Amino acid sequence: MTDILNLYDLPHNQLVDLLKQWGEPRFRADQLWQWLYKRKAPDFASMHTLPAALRERLAAETRIGGAEVTKERHSTDGETRKYLLRMPDGQLIETVLMEYSGVRRTACISTQAGCALGCVFCATGQMGFARNLTAGEIIEQVVHVGRVLEAVDERLSNVVLMGMGEPFHNYDATMAAVRRMIDPEALAIGQRHVTVSTVGLAPEIRQFAQEDVQVRLAISLHAATDRERSALLPINRQYPLDELLGSVRDYIDQTNRRVTFEWALIAGENDSVEQAHTLGKLLKGLLCHLNVIPLNATNGYKGRPSHPAHVDQFVEIVEEYGIPTTVRVRRGIDIHAGCGQLKASVMKGGG
Ligand code: SAH
Ligand code: SF4
């Protein structure tokens, strides 16, 4: 199954080439593209505008994705759903759908099975790296969530690449998938409604600045000194704050777009008055926004979320430096669908 061509791995021109090789007229590729991205057809049988012989050949030689939903959990408030997807080679990944009362429908998608970067408080980091996802496997998560919503006449409005994995460690597949998401002829998500989150890979931040897309960039900061950041995010030893912020400044100069910094507030670790001032000084004057979120608990890390009073105090201080700040509402905690809680737990023990 894994070596059968996944149609979601092909950009439009390659799909055209494939059908051309098969002797099909150009409009057949456009029809197939529509079935894949606009109608999100789950199988070839439903593609009734295609001739039966073509459908049969497609079914024999290609596949429409390949992820199987092996588990689905709904949070008790009914606003967050988590899907465990099994890839054809058995790898498991998680995708989350968040509904914000009538305003937004956001998919939080994975870019890798596991993650190699080992941030201490992140469940994905704690499980280690399995493999990169292909562009098709990244896209398919968006298609899946889109199908779920369209079945009840709703529409996916936002995508955040904040699930399992580091998008910039799988740069090419991530960018190919992002292009497909924002393509009006494909999934047609508004460019500014797509956010790529990185742990802070400076060279890729500079590369991303050169892309001709308007999607948003978020950077996981979590600490404002190298000593503290390296203890939480080992990658900081490779790209210390000076270098990271240098790349972020270049990105802003190049794109003129506001970046978001992420800060998981951990009690007694990165939520003090002094740390708030250090952060304020570090970010002062940058075209940015700060997103703080009380830490979500994970098994492999003993840290706890900050007390609400400390969250308020932290935000108040940072805002004194002119940095717009929001406290992110923690979502789906009861089903372990919150930020940094994603892991394919059923893989544990070889299952
Ligand atoms: N690899 C990327 C994107 C996936 S993680 C990155 O690190 O940015 C998405 C966000 O969740 C990041 O900001 C990450 O730092 C944060 N996160 C990880 N573990 C968390 C936890 N236990 N509680 C709160 N946020 C967490
Ligand atoms: Fe990887 Fe992001 Fe988790 Fe760090 S926070 S381990 S980069 S997924």
Side-chain angles (χ1 to χ4, degrees), residues 133-135 138 167-179 204 207 211:
L133 299 185
T134 68
I138 299 171
F168 286 172
H169 242 188
N170 186 15
Y171 190 91
D172 293 343
T174 293
M175 284 314 299
V178 164
R179 286 180 195 288
E204 282 77 12
Q207 190 177 350
E211 304 280 355

Side-chain angles (χ1 to χ4, degrees), residues 55-348:
R55 278 186 269 154
E56 270 160 37
R57 182 159 187 194
L58 283 166
E61 298 182 31
T62 72
R63 57 188 165 100
I64 306 168
E68 188 196 329
V69 181
T70 60
K71 212 160 141 191
E72 176 175 345
R73 294 187 71 185
H74 294 224
S75 63
T76 41
D77 62 14
E79 295 195 323
T80 303
R81 278 174 255 183
K82 184 169 83 165
Y83 301 95
L84 181 68
L85 304 180
R86 189 200 306 275
M87 297 302 161
D89 66 347
Q91 270 315 324
L92 295 164
I93 59 156
E94 293 187 323
T95 302
V96 179
L97 165 59
M98 294 166 284
E99 310 211 20
Y100 296 85
S101 40
V103 264
R104 304 200 295 277
R105 305 276 177 277
T106 302
C108 176
I109 62 169
S110 299
T111 54
Q112 300 179 311
C115 183
L117 294 171
C119 305
V120 297
F121 48 68
C122 171
T124 312
Q126 289 157 13
M127 69 182 268
F129 177 72
R131 70 164 171 87
N132 279 328
L133 299 185
T134 68
E137 289 171 330
I138 299 171
I139 270 294
E140 191 178 355
Q141 299 169 63
V142 184
V143 172
H144 168 67
V145 170
R147 276 184 195 136
V148 167
L149 288 171
E150 284 163 26
V152 290
D153 273 336
E154 288 180 1
R155 199 179 164 276
L156 182 67
S157 58
N158 295 61
V159 177
V160 294
L161 286 82
M162 295 187 184
M164 295 165 69
E166 164 55 37
F168 286 172
H169 242 188
N170 186 15
Y171 190 91
D172 293 343
T174 293
M175 284 314 299
V178 164
R179 286 180 195 288
R180 212 85 52 75
M181 286 171 216
I182 61 177
D183 179 353
E185 303 301 325
L187 294 177
I189 308 281
Q191 299 215 28
R192 289 173 185 78
H193 293 168
V194 175
T195 304
V196 178
S197 175
T198 178
V199 70
L201 306 185
E204 282 77 12
I205 290 173
R206 290 201 170 86
Q207 190 177 350
F208 187 62
Q210 305 297 327
E211 304 280 355
D212 55 346
V213 294
Q214 305 284 313
V215 301
R216 293 178 188 277
L217 178 64
I219 298 121
S220 301
L221 197 57
H222 306 304
T225 67
D226 280 323
R227 191 182 52 79
E228 290 163 331
R229 193 164 187 270
S230 295
L232 296 173
L233 282 56
I235 193 67
N236 190 69
R237 294 186 203 118
Q238 200 174 335
Y239 303 113
L241 283 169
D242 249 7
E243 194 173 343
L244 170 59
L245 289 173
S247 72
V248 172
R249 276 190 206 96
D250 289 350
Y251 172 90
I252 295 169
D253 287 346
Q254 176 75 30
T255 62
N256 215 11
R257 284 199 294 272
R258 186 180 294 272
V259 300
T260 297
F261 288 102
E262 312 272 359
W263 191 285
L265 277 168
I266 312 166
E269 188 73 39
N270 64 357
D271 64 349
S272 71
V273 167
E274 189 195 339
Q275 282 157 319
H277 283 290
T278 310
L279 173 62
K281 285 174 198 149
L282 188 71
L283 299 187
K284 195 174 160 67
L286 262 188
L287 183 62
C288 72
H289 180 267
L290 180 70
N291 237 330
V292 302
I293 178 167
L295 182 82
N296 291 322
T298 56
N299 281 337
Y301 180 63
K302 63 176 182 357
R304 290 286 153 247
S306 299
H307 188 279
H310 290 161
V311 175
D312 292 348
Q313 183 183 49
F314 193 88
V315 169
E316 219 168 274
I317 295 170
V318 178
E319 284 190 326
E320 284 169 16
Y321 290 84
I323 298 150
T325 303
T326 43
V327 180
R328 204 140 37 108
V329 184
R330 297 157 81 209
R331 303 287 306 249
I333 304 308
D334 56 335
I335 57 167
H336 296 285
C339 292
Q341 291 187 309
L342 302 187
K343 61 171 181 170
S345 36
V346 298
M347 276 293 259
K348 289 254 168 83

